[in-house]
Structure formats: C-alpha cells, structure tokens
Amino acid sequence: LPARNDFWGMWEYLAPNVMEYAGHVGGAAFLLALVGLIWGRRITPRVWALAGLAVLTLLIATGTPLNRLFYFYLPGFAQSGSPARILVLLCFTQALLAGLGLEWLLRKVAVSPKGIALPLGVGLGVTAALLAGLHALAQANLPFVPPPGVGDPVQAVGRTFAFAASVAGGLGLLTWLLRENSANQRRLTLGVAAAVIVGGGSAFLGGTYNLTAAPEMVYPATPLTEALARTRERVTTVNTRWGLQDLPPALLPPNASLAYGWRDAQGYDSLLLGRTRHLLDVLAERPEGAAPLANGNI
C-alpha cells in the first residue's frame, strides 16, 4: 500500500492509486474464497454464477474488448469515470465465496477434523501459485524500475504468502487440538477463529490505510458553510471558470453535504439527479451545457 510504500503493481503515472485498481479482501478471506470456489458447489450449485461474475469483472477492469462493449454501448456505464472501479464486484464475489468456503470447512470439521486438511492445503497451494504468477507479470510489465524506498516486491509476496500459510496452519492446528470435542464445539470454535482472523487482517490493513482525523480538520466551519446550513432556500453553484489547466479556488469541498448537514441533490461529484442537471444546463446558457467539455461526466 502507498501508506507503507510497498505497492508493487503496475502503474504508469503519478503515485499508484490502489483505490482505483487494486481491490483487496485480505489474505485470509482470499484463502477461504479459493476453498469456496472449489468446494462451494457442494453447498449450492450457483457457485458458477459467482465465478462468472468474478471473471467478467476482471475482464472489464483490465481493459479487454469486453470493457469497450460496456463503455461505449451500455448507457451510463461510461459515467463511472474509471472502469477499474468495477473491482468492487470482485471483492463482493470473493466475500461470498469466502463465506461458502468457511461453511464447507465447518461442515467437514463437524464430521471429521481431518477433512479440512485437503481444502486448506489446496487453497494455500493455489494462493502461492497466483502470487508467484502475478509477481512475475507485474515485474515484466512495470514501465520503470521502482525508485529506492519502494517496498521489495519479493518481501511483499513473501509476507502475503506467510500470512495465508499461518492462517491455514492455525486453523488446522486449532482443529487438531479440538479433535476430541463435540461436532458443535468444533464448528463454533473454528467459525469464531476464522471470523477473528479475517476481521483482524482487515483491521490491520485499514489501520495503516484509512487514517483518521478530527472532523473540523477535514470539514472546517466557514461563514459560507454556516450560512448554507442555516438557509431554507434552494441554492445552486454554477462555475464558469473550470478547465484542466484553469482550476478556480475551491470554496465548497466536494462530497461534504452529509458532514455539513446540507440537503444536497448532488450526492457525489459526478452523480446528480437528471432534473437538476437539466436545470444547470439551462442556467449555463452555453451549447455544451453546464459540464465542461474537458470532463463531460461531471
């Protein structure tokens, strides 16, 4: 992650924006997702639908011809701004597959503690193979040699595999220690342990990435924001000075209506009601409407 300066994926300009093209559910959840992908069909035959959605998401996010089909011919899709943001669906499918994988492990451990050894071993092996392949692919396609200070890719891959291996080994060891317990006790203990491991990994990731600060440092009160909070009239902001090379001073921070307590028709920078957009086009009194030509989706 950029916060740790150890992102080793592919990027061509500026700093790597992992929020745009590096969806991640954590090593523990990924390991369980692989188990769900292989054995989840014994719980529900709809696993193929999740696998298909995952593949479709990857094909769109990586700029294949399928992405072109969606971008140019599916109305509204281009307004997403960055097709790679569809990776949120990949995280969603991995979470569902991880749930199926854990359910399969819980069913197996209730019958025989030895039954989870094969799923965990296969999941760990596939994880290792994917890490090695993705690392080689990234290194072959990096547009430049990473500058000093950027985390060593080999160490990053090693840490990820070590975490996945510790998860598999820990769950296996816990199951072995509980082998004399009842089926319900094994299920409950293994389920709680898996939830703690998955949640703990996500908390560690978020703790170094989603930093916090006092609200007033991010959304300071100004005479303008206080006046807007008090008014009961409808207000619209029309900016006539905007361009990629001509950025006006920002008076109202974007996406701040919830923090300031405003009722805003524009919930997000590039998303607003069609009727509001039409009104702004009328007020702009120019052929291209209210949106600048340089960035027509906003």
Side-chain angles (χ1 to χ4, degrees):
L1 290 175
R4 295 198 299 264
N5 207 26
D6 62 357
F7 182 78
W8 50 271
M10 295 177 283
W11 70 92
E12 297 182 1
Y13 59 91
L14 302 178
N17 186 358
V18 297
M19 293 186 69
E20 295 284 353
Y21 51 74
H24 181 64
V25 296
F30 183 73
L31 177 64
L32 294 175
L34 290 174
V35 175
L37 182 65
I38 300 173
W39 281 274
R41 57 185 174 81
R42 300 182 183 181
I43 299 176
T44 171
R46 296 187 178 91
V47 171
W48 65 267
L50 294 178
L53 179 59
V55 172
L56 178 68
T57 299
L58 281 174
L59 291 175
I60 295 175
T62 51
T64 62
L66 186 61
N67 174 48
R68 185 180 184 88
L69 176 66
F70 277 75
Y71 194 85
F72 288 104
Y73 300 104
L74 181 64
F77 185 82
Q79 288 185 297
S80 64
S82 173
R85 293 175 182 176
I86 201 173
L87 285 174
V88 67
L89 293 182
L90 180 63
C91 294
F92 179 64
T93 55
Q94 288 182 88
L96 293 176
L97 287 170
L100 291 175
L102 180 58
E103 175 63 24
W104 172 247
L105 292 178
L106 295 179
R107 293 186 183 187
K108 291 297 293 184
V109 79
V111 177
S112 171
K114 297 179 181 179
I116 71 170
L118 178 61
L120 289 177
V122 172
L124 187 60
V126 175
T127 299
L130 285 174
L131 279 173
L134 290 173
H135 171 242
L137 180 66
Q139 291 300 292
N141 288 276
L142 281 175
F144 58 87
V145 177
V150 173
D152 184 358
V154 176
Q155 292 183 5
V157 172
R159 284 197 303 269
T160 305
F161 177 72
F163 179 71
S166 64
V167 170
L171 292 179
L173 176 62
L174 181 63
T175 302
W176 182 79
L177 293 175
L178 298 172
R179 65 188 184 281
E180 302 298 333
N181 290 25
S182 67
N184 286 337
Q185 288 176 326
R186 291 197 298 268
R187 281 175 55 92
L188 177 61
T189 306
L190 187 67
V192 171
V196 170
I197 292 173
V198 172
S202 299
F204 173 76
L205 181 72
T208 58
Y209 188 63
N210 295 318
L211 304 179
T212 61
E216 58 271 16
M217 295 180 63
V218 184
Y219 299 103
T222 67
L224 176 59
T225 62
E226 292 177 345
L228 289 174
R230 290 193 303 267
T231 185
R232 293 294 179 265
E233 302 296 330
R234 294 186 178 184
V235 178
T236 184
T237 302
V238 179
N239 192 346
T240 59
R241 267 188 66 238
W242 195 97
L244 295 179
Q245 303 299 325
D246 182 23
L247 300 178
L251 296 178
L252 297 174
N255 313 326
S257 57
L258 182 63
Y260 281 115
W262 303 329
R263 294 182 61 187
D264 191 355
Q266 181 174 325
Y268 174 68
D269 273 354
S270 55
L271 301 177
L272 70 161
L273 299 175
R275 288 178 295 179
T276 303
R277 170 62 182 266
H278 177 70
L279 174 61
L280 293 175
D281 288 342
V282 173
L283 294 175
E285 296 182 341
R286 54 186 182 184
E288 66 272 21
L293 290 177
N295 196 354
N297 70 321
I298 292 181

